[in-house]
Amino acid sequence: MLDKNSKIYVAGHHGLVGSAIWNNLVQRGYTNLVGRSHQELDLTDQSAVRRFFDEERPDAVVLAAAFVGGIMANSLYRADFIMMNMKIQCNVISEAYAHGVKKLLFLGSTCIYPKNAPQPMKEDCLLTSPLEYTNEEYAIAKIAGLKMCESYNLQYGTNYIAVMPTNLYGPNDNFHLENSHVMPAMMRKVYLAKLIHDGKWDKIAVDLNKRPVEGVTGIDSHEEILTVLGKYGIYDNKVVLWGTGTPLREFLWSEDMADASVHILLNVNFSDIIGIEKYSSVHYGASTDGAVDRNHSAGRGGAIPKLGEIRNCHINVGTGKELTIRELSELVVKAVGFEGTVEFDATKPDGTMRKLIDVTKLHSLGWTHKVEIEDGVQKLFEWYRQSL
């Protein structure tokens, strides 16, 4: 297992979850951490990733880096979503194996589950029916990632764990309107609509200078600003959101997700997930000097009939609780102090109507969430205002 001196590489350590995982590890006394920004290391570049692993030789890897976005971004950049995520995963996981990494944690998404999966969604419903079309490419990439972890474990006896978080929100969230997720996008829209109504153009300028919208910043004219914001449903004291407001969503505070991730990284092995008795004939395929034995065959559990079919070894991470998008908008309105109107444009897509996950496996492994959605929305808005 990992000790306090173990070198842990957190890929995506500036992101929503990666930064929270980094902070959680530090708080637990794990300070031998390695991180690289996208500018310092392009994870889609196989040669660059190999050089990084050659130089750093981490003991463990947290793969929290991904190319992400909401419904609009998933619809516009379909090729990017599948290609970039597949490249990142293939490069990091293959080099982790080649360099004898002891433990790897792969972060996916609950969009891996079928559009009409039985609710709440258990891990075993993976690949049982078609995916939601609007995020199919991202989902397929994440399914491939969890299958890579599972397959390496079965073929080589590695200890790679895949976790599938529900919708996340929290500090360092992405508030850029073109490619943000539902909650931060909604929160920023409501906040800007309030500022327009209040005539707080100085604060609007600060917001747009921090996060420009289609190249428009605080130095542009009021007319230009209002025009571009209107494209995103932001008006004077009015916000228009996509869809009907009826889809149900589950949300998990990012620092809770980080705590769950670190708990699993430090305390849960592949053998714990599939059952020690079923995996007893398999031992981890690393020699005593830390180098991986590529000819190791004891880990080929998938090829041994008596073990049965081993699949769906990933772990759902969430709260097991849900609310409608309309109810979420009401919490955001309350947090922002918005007194205007929120409308829903039913001509725009809703996405999946319900996405609640079953967290029985997670609870059995000793972890439960702490932050409830009502408190989390208020905490997120406070973080957003302080970030400007």
Side-chain angles (χ1 to χ4, degrees):
M1 293 299 290
L2 302 173
D3 59 36
K4 297 291 175 67
N5 296 316
S6 298
K7 181 181 283 191
I8 303 174
Y9 167 44
V10 182
H13 74 297
H14 286 318
L16 173 63
V17 188
S19 61
I21 289 175
W22 182 288
N23 292 335
N24 189 285
L25 284 164
V26 170
Q27 290 165 10
R28 291 174 184 246
Y30 291 81
T31 56
N32 190 8
L33 306 181
V34 181
R36 293 288 187 278
S37 68
H38 177 67
Q39 289 72 29
E40 294 170 324
L41 175 60
D42 180 359
L43 293 176
T44 66
D45 183 336
Q46 185 177 21
S47 298
V49 174
R50 180 171 299 136
R51 285 195 301 272
F52 167 78
F53 274 87
D54 285 344
E55 294 166 5
E56 293 294 342
R57 298 278 172 175
D59 298 302
V61 170
V62 176
L63 181 42
F67 186 72
V68 299
I71 292 177
M72 185 186 295
N74 274 274
S75 300
L76 292 174
Y77 310 119
R78 301 184 76 91
D80 289 345
F81 269 88
I82 191 164
M83 286 300 295
M84 293 186 67
N85 283 299
M86 288 292 291
K87 285 180 179 180
I88 290 169
Q89 295 161 193
C90 288
N91 291 340
V92 174
I93 293 173
S94 63
E95 292 305 323
Y97 171 69
H99 291 82
V101 166
K102 298 174 187 175
K103 191 77 175 280
L104 183 141
L105 187 74
F106 171 73
L107 277 71
S109 165
T110 52
C111 73
I112 62 170
Y113 292 119
K115 179 177 182 177
N116 298 314
Q119 303 286 323
M121 300 179 290
K122 294 179 179 291
E123 287 86 354
D124 287 343
C125 73
L126 180 68
L127 296 176
T128 55
S129 61
L131 299 163
E132 161 61 38
Y133 179 74
T134 57
N135 59 17
E136 193 172 50
E137 282 72 16
Y138 183 71
I140 287 172
K142 288 300 180 181
I143 291 170
L146 74 87
K147 284 295 181 183
M148 286 180 212
C149 293
E150 187 175 279
S151 301
Y152 268 82
N153 292 343
L154 293 173
Q155 182 169 345
Y156 297 116
T158 49
N159 199 11
Y160 300 167
I161 312 293
V163 291
M164 300 297 126
T166 188
N167 300 290
L168 300 173
Y169 69 106
N172 295 314
D173 217 332
N174 174 15
F175 283 83
H176 289 277
L177 295 179
E178 293 100 319
N179 60 1
S180 60
H181 282 122
V182 59
M183 191 188 300
M186 182 188 295
M187 188 170 285
R188 189 178 181 196
K189 288 176 182 180
V190 170
Y191 177 61
L192 287 171
K194 175 178 168 57
L195 293 182
I196 293 170
H197 181 69
D198 294 345
K200 300 285 182 64
W201 286 98
D202 55 334
K203 291 188 176 181
I204 293 172
V206 169
D207 185 283
L208 292 177
N209 286 335
K210 175 81 173 184
R211 299 176 179 90
V213 179
E214 294 187 11
V216 173
T217 68
I219 66 171
D220 289 293
S221 69
H222 292 184
E223 182 180 357
E224 288 173 304
I225 290 172
L226 290 174
T227 298
V228 75
L229 293 183
K231 291 173 63 176
Y232 292 88
I234 304 165
Y235 306 98
D236 181 347
N237 223 29
K238 184 177 84 169
V239 171
V240 179
L241 302 175
W242 278 30
T244 62
T246 57
L248 288 157
R249 288 292 181 270
E250 175 185 14
F251 293 93
L252 179 67
W253 183 245
S254 60
E255 292 173 334
D256 270 357
M257 175 58 197
D259 194 62
S261 299
V262 175
H263 172 80
I264 292 166
L265 178 70
L266 300 179
N267 302 300
V268 178
N269 293 310
F270 185 60
S271 56
D272 299 321
I273 298 170
I274 66 172
I276 294 174
E277 69 286 351
K278 182 180 276 192
Y279 204 58
S280 60
S281 65
V282 179
H283 58 273
Y284 299 132
S287 63
T288 55
D289 64 359
V292 172
D293 176 5
R294 291 185 176 276
N295 298 313
H296 176 74
S297 59
R300 297 185 169 217
I304 304 173
K306 68 180 181 180
L307 291 180
E309 294 183 350
I310 297 175
R311 57 162 62 97
N312 303 331
C313 304
H314 56 286
I315 305 167
N316 287 340
V317 182
T319 65
K321 302 179 180 181
E322 61 188 342
L323 78 168
T324 66
I325 295 297
R326 186 178 295 276
E327 288 169 335
L328 174 64
S329 72
E330 291 166 359
L331 291 178
V332 170
V333 163
K334 181 180 177 182
V336 175
F338 182 60
E339 297 179 351
T341 59
V342 175
E343 298 178 3
F344 286 86
D345 182 356
T347 66
K348 296 293 194 296
D350 270 325
T352 307
M353 291 307 294
R354 194 178 181 208
K355 283 179 61 176
L356 181 66
I357 57 172
D358 185 296
V359 288
T360 303
K361 184 188 289 187
L362 176 68
H363 289 173
S364 73
L365 294 169
W367 190 89
T368 307
H369 78 282
K370 300 173 184 66
V371 178
E372 300 296 348
I373 185 70
E374 295 81 5
D375 296 328
V377 169
Q378 185 65 50
K379 284 158 66 85
L380 181 62
F381 182 59
E382 289 169 2
W383 179 88
Y384 180 66
R385 281 193 303 183
Q386 291 170 3
S387 75
L388 295 174

